[in-house]
Amino acid sequence: MAQSLNRRGLLIGGAVAGAGALAAACTGNDPKEDNSAQQTVAAAGDNDKAGKQVTIGFSAPAADHGWIAAIAKNAAAQAKQYSDVTFRAVEPTNDINQQISAVETLISAKVNVLVLLPNDGEQLNQVARKAMDAGIPVVNLDRIFPDKLSYRSWVGGDNYGMGVAAGDYIGSKLKTKGVSNPVIVEIQGIATLPLTQDRSKGFADALKTHGFTVTAKQDAKFTVETGNSVASNLLQAHKKIDALWNHDDDQGVGVLAAIKQANRKEFFMVGGAGSANAMREIKAGGVLEATVTYSPTMASSAIKLARLIAQGKGMTDLVERQVPQSITLASETVTKENVDQYMPLGFES
């Protein structure tokens, strides 16, 4: 089972390429360079007209996860839309010290702006602050730095909102069905991360408004293999389940495999993030009825914001002259009724 579910080799091949610690590439406007389904770029506007040449440094964790792979691809694809942008991506890594060293390389290279998705915001906080102190604005992507002096702008998803969306869907459906004292199971990502804790809090708060609570929860580390083993254990521990929320559609590949292997059909499931394979499962019908979005298109937005900051521009749709300090994306619920609208934004797990 583990071998058939392992996507690591495949996803690493889709990561930002680079033989050394720093992979540099000049970007252009040729749409023929990369037409992969894993990238989403924003449409052009007045701010997208060529301006001052800028270099955007980029660092993210290793792409051994479909969502992270899509983050890297979206960032690179968005940068390629601009003839005035040079995109410098350091080698992706899951090692904290290696990521710190790679970011220091970008600081030494005197890039104009940094887009940084840290493996851990707290542990990368100091090097981000070092960049800011050196006059290099940092666009903090997703996992937030605790010190606001360590970033110029933050862009990311609404983790608490994800939990609320999942809890509202489950709570409303159980209420409609007239279920009392339901068995509600929650499969988290990495339990120690603040983003996971925010998702769980939102879920619990939303369920509470319907008079429900979580029966059991366990973290699955955002991996297919752990998702499979955790789901198997929870299915064995609970002979009857009414609803299940899985935080992450990548680990959901393993969760769904465990459900199908156990031939359990008495409950419904909600996913998280909005992967293409989850959307295909929703469209086909079955145990997975919905997923709540946490789109990797945020990386495309981060590149756009980084370019504007480096060029001293603001956002044309806002009155203010500067890019906002933070932008939180909405978490939306994808169901069989609207899945076709969201399919183009899905990423492959």
Side-chain angles (χ1 to χ4, degrees):
M1 176 66 74
Q3 183 176 2
S4 64
L5 295 174
N6 193 345
R7 298 165 290 112
R8 186 182 183 91
L10 172 64
L11 295 175
I12 288 177
V16 175
L22 188 64
C26 292
T27 63
N29 288 325
D30 185 359
K32 297 179 181 178
E33 288 187 29
D34 188 348
N35 292 319
S36 77
Q38 289 297 297
Q39 64 189 43
T40 304
V41 299
D46 287 343
N47 259 345
D48 287 321
K49 292 178 180 178
K52 181 179 73 175
Q53 289 288 329
V54 296
T55 298
I56 299 176
F58 177 78
S59 176
D64 53 1
H65 181 279
W67 189 88
I68 292 289
I71 282 283
K73 288 185 178 182
N74 284 338
Q78 187 66 53
K80 285 181 181 179
Q81 304 304 301
Y82 304 116
S83 60
D84 54 14
V85 167
T86 298
F87 185 66
R88 300 178 70 119
V90 294
E91 191 74 18
T93 178
N94 288 331
D95 184 280
I96 296 293
N97 291 327
Q98 287 181 12
Q99 189 175 25
I100 291 171
S101 178
V103 172
E104 288 175 337
T105 303
L106 290 171
I107 296 171
S108 297
K110 297 181 179 179
V111 297
N112 298 106
V113 60
L114 264 173
V115 175
L116 181 54
L117 197 168
N119 275 284
D120 184 289
E122 187 169 343
Q123 295 189 63
L124 268 291
N125 184 76
Q126 186 173 354
V127 74
R129 178 66 185 271
K130 182 177 179 180
M132 290 286 288
D133 289 345
I136 301 173
V138 173
V139 177
N140 182 194
L141 182 58
D142 188 38
R143 300 171 187 173
I144 196 166
F145 299 118
D147 181 2
K148 287 192 175 183
L149 295 177
S150 295
Y151 60 94
R152 163 61 180 80
S153 290
W154 174 86
V155 58
D158 184 357
N159 287 291
Y160 181 83
M162 282 184 74
V164 170
D168 276 340
Y169 182 91
I170 288 174
S172 296
K173 178 153 186 175
L174 292 174
K175 277 285 189 183
T176 299
K177 293 172 66 176
V179 179
S180 59
N181 299 318
V183 176
I184 302 173
V185 173
E186 178 183 359
I187 301 181
Q188 302 170 306
I190 298 174
T192 57
L193 288 179
L195 65 86
T196 297
Q197 295 161 11
D198 286 344
R199 292 179 187 184
S200 287
K201 187 176 189 313
F203 188 55
D205 287 351
L207 287 178
K208 187 177 180 180
T209 66
H210 296 280
F212 302 137
T213 59
V214 175
T215 306
K217 64 182 176 183
Q218 190 173 342
D219 67 315
K221 317 296 183 189
F222 289 131
T223 72
V224 174
E225 293 76 19
T226 310
N228 184 261
S229 62
V230 166
S232 296
N233 291 338
L234 288 169
L235 290 169
Q236 290 177 9
H238 302 277
K239 299 306 179 184
K240 181 182 179 297
I241 295 173
D242 293 289
L244 184 154
W245 181 40
N246 168 60
H247 283 209
D248 178 69
D249 286 335
D250 278 305
Q251 72 185 22
V253 174
V255 173
L256 283 169
I259 293 170
K260 290 175 182 177
Q261 185 176 12
N263 196 29
R264 297 284 291 272
K265 300 177 181 179
E266 82 278 6
F267 61 89
F268 65 95
M269 172 178 164
V270 175
S275 74
N277 66 286
M279 292 186 195
R280 288 190 290 267
E281 289 275 353
I282 291 167
K283 192 169 183 176
V287 67
L288 183 60
E289 290 190 358
T291 186
V292 290
T293 61
Y294 196 84
S295 178
T297 57
M298 67 178 69
S300 302
S301 297
I303 294 296
K304 287 178 71 71
L305 294 178
R307 175 177 170 272
L308 293 179
I309 291 168
Q311 293 181 339
K313 298 177 181 177
M315 296 173 66
T316 54
D317 287 337
L318 298 181
V319 174
E320 290 74 24
R321 297 180 61 85
Q322 298 292 324
V323 169
Q325 193 269 344
S326 65
I327 296 177
T328 304
L329 306 181
S331 182
E332 303 169 58
T333 304
V334 181
T335 65
K336 195 169 185 177
E337 285 68 35
N338 63 9
V339 66
D340 287 335
Q341 300 173 34
Y342 289 90
M343 191 68 77
L345 299 179
F347 60 94
E348 295 293 342
S349 291

